[in-house]
Amino acid sequence: MWGCSWLNGTGLVEELPACQDLQLVLLVLSLLGLLVGVPVGLCYNALLVLANLHSKASMTMPDVYFVNMAVAGLVLSALAPVHLLSPLSSRWPLWSVGSEVHVALQIPFNVSSLVAMYSTALLSLDHYIERALPRTYMASVYNTRHVCGFVWGGALLTSFSSLLFYICRHISARALECTKMQNAEAADAMLVFIGYAVPALAALYALVLLSRVHREDTPLDRDEGRLEPSAHRLLVATVCMQFGLWTPHYLTLLGCTVFVSRGKPVDAHYLGLVDFAKDVSKLLAFCSSFVTPLLYRYMNQSFPGKLRRLMKKLPWGNRHCSPDHVGVQQVLA
């Protein structure tokens, strides 16, 4: 996946050792992501989903969004080995941009990225509604479940429209309708705008509104539906982490779109540099699949209790010796 072939023919021979050192560092990080990040992401995302689904009655609005992000994280964790173990040369026909394998794997990746971004943005907006209007139940669990369903549907539709641009580039000679849809950069521009710019503005707007909310805790607000104090810290940490790890990926797509839209011939050196930047940004994006459930595990106060209740329901969860309550009552009598 990592290589310094983009330095060939540039005259930058003195920078080759530094590039090789960077290549070694990135290779080690990729192996750590495969050996540690992927198993952790699969395990914690699965536990997050199962524990919350097992305790549906105690789920809150943030829990629904985190379950949504955990499902997207499971998809990303399953795709990470295929992307991180891609061939060393991006010119391999099976893995080249626009090939059938690349397009097929790009669909679930784009869907998961859209779901993660919009779940984070909607979590921020609903958290503000819950803080500003705590007793209106506008951001209820019931409404949030329907919103998450629309998020997945919108992500699938957006990815399908982007898929048309990639497919039409291959069948344009056979389908006259696709002659005007051969530009793959249009699909990337669409993803940047819909998948990053819109949720980023929404999350930023919600954080600005939350910073202006100065409500005093009253006895009327101390009910079971009120969010825990740790929910605000978890929200800020999740927003910063998600957008921090996904921003390089979308900025790289934006840079490629602007660079190619000029219509000028692109040097092979810059093409290799762009591929290198795409690989680094995609590695950071995959890191979000295991960082999010770890944040939820250590910053959500109710998750350990849900996890214990789930473990007790498992076949091996009740193997410990339990006291004989009937015998105890007879002895006391």
Side-chain angles (χ1 to χ4, degrees), residues 10 14 29 84 114 146 171-172 186 191 203 208 235 264 276 283 310 329:
T10 61
E14 64 277 1
L29 291 178
L84 296 180
L114 289 170
H146 289 280
I171 64 174
S172 58
L191 287 176
V208 171
L235 165 70
K264 299 179 180 180
F276 185 80
L283 174 62
L310 174 64
Q329 293 177 357

Side-chain angles (χ1 to χ4, degrees), residues 148-214:
C148 290
F150 283 111
V151 168
W152 280 98
L156 288 171
L157 289 177
T158 304
S159 299
F160 179 75
S161 60
S162 300
L163 176 64
L164 290 179
F165 285 93
Y166 290 105
I167 294 178
C168 285
R169 188 170 60 178
H170 295 279
I171 64 174
S172 58
R174 290 172 289 175
L176 183 61
E177 294 80 3
C178 289
T179 55
K180 297 182 180 180
M181 297 180 61
Q182 301 180 34
N183 192 0
E185 285 71 29
D188 294 337
M190 184 187 304
L191 287 176
V192 170
F193 177 74
I194 299 177
Y196 179 76
V198 174
L201 290 175
L204 180 62
Y205 178 68
L207 291 179
V208 171
L209 292 177
L210 281 170
S211 64
R212 296 181 179 179
V213 175
H214 299 285

Side-chain angles (χ1 to χ4, degrees), residues 109-118 188-197 199 242-243 245-257 281-282 285:
F109 179 82
N110 290 337
V111 171
S112 301
S113 65
L114 289 170
V115 170
M117 291 291 98
Y118 275 92
D188 294 337
M190 184 187 304
L191 287 176
V192 170
F193 177 74
I194 299 177
Y196 179 76
Q242 286 280 15
F243 284 95
L245 293 176
W246 281 100
T247 296
H249 171 68
Y250 284 104
L251 288 182
T252 304
L253 288 181
L254 179 62
C256 295
T257 302
S281 62
K282 195 162 278 189

Side-chain angles (χ1 to χ4, degrees), residues 108-329:
F109 179 82
N110 290 337
V111 171
S112 301
S113 65
L114 289 170
V115 170
M117 291 291 98
Y118 275 92
S119 297
T120 305
L122 292 172
L123 172 63
S124 307
L125 292 172
D126 282 354
H127 186 80
Y128 165 73
I129 294 175
E130 190 70 20
R131 288 284 301 273
L133 304 170
R135 299 188 64 84
T136 58
Y137 299 102
M138 294 178 62
S140 63
V141 176
Y142 177 79
N143 294 334
T144 305
R145 289 173 180 170
H146 289 280
V147 169
C148 290
F150 283 111
V151 168
W152 280 98
L156 288 171
L157 289 177
T158 304
S159 299
F160 179 75
S161 60
S162 300
L163 176 64
L164 290 179
F165 285 93
Y166 290 105
I167 294 178
C168 285
R169 188 170 60 178
H170 295 279
I171 64 174
S172 58
R174 290 172 289 175
L176 183 61
E177 294 80 3
C178 289
T179 55
K180 297 182 180 180
M181 297 180 61
Q182 301 180 34
N183 192 0
E185 285 71 29
D188 294 337
M190 184 187 304
L191 287 176
V192 170
F193 177 74
I194 299 177
Y196 179 76
V198 174
L201 290 175
L204 180 62
Y205 178 68
L207 291 179
V208 171
L209 292 177
L210 281 170
S211 64
R212 296 181 179 179
V213 175
H214 299 285
R215 293 179 56 86
E216 295 183 358
D217 212 13
T218 62
L220 292 177
D221 294 331
R222 295 169 185 169
D223 54 6
E224 295 180 356
R226 189 69 183 270
L227 296 178
E228 300 175 356
S230 61
H232 182 70
R233 297 191 297 270
L234 178 60
L235 165 70
V236 175
T238 303
V239 171
C240 294
M241 183 276 303
Q242 286 280 15
F243 284 95
L245 293 176
W246 281 100
T247 296
H249 171 68
Y250 284 104
L251 288 182
T252 304
L253 288 181
L254 179 62
C256 295
T257 302
V258 174
F259 196 72
V260 176
S261 62
R262 295 180 178 180
K264 299 179 180 180
V266 183
D267 187 64
H269 163 65
Y270 294 104
L271 285 178
L273 186 60
V274 166
D275 292 336
F276 185 80
K278 284 183 178 180
D279 292 338
V280 175
S281 62
K282 195 162 278 189
L283 174 62
L284 293 175
F286 281 119
C287 291
S288 65
S289 63
F290 66 88
V291 177
T292 302
L294 289 178
L295 282 177
Y296 183 84
R297 164 64 180 83
Y298 291 104
M299 298 187 68
N300 188 282
Q301 297 178 355
S302 62
F303 181 70
K306 295 178 181 179
L307 192 58
R308 285 193 295 268
R309 289 194 294 270
L310 174 64
M311 292 302 175
K312 290 180 180 179
K313 291 293 183 179
L314 296 177
W316 57 84
N318 293 322
R319 290 183 178 179
H320 60 276
C321 297
S322 57
D324 188 359
H325 298 285
V326 179
V328 172
Q329 293 177 357

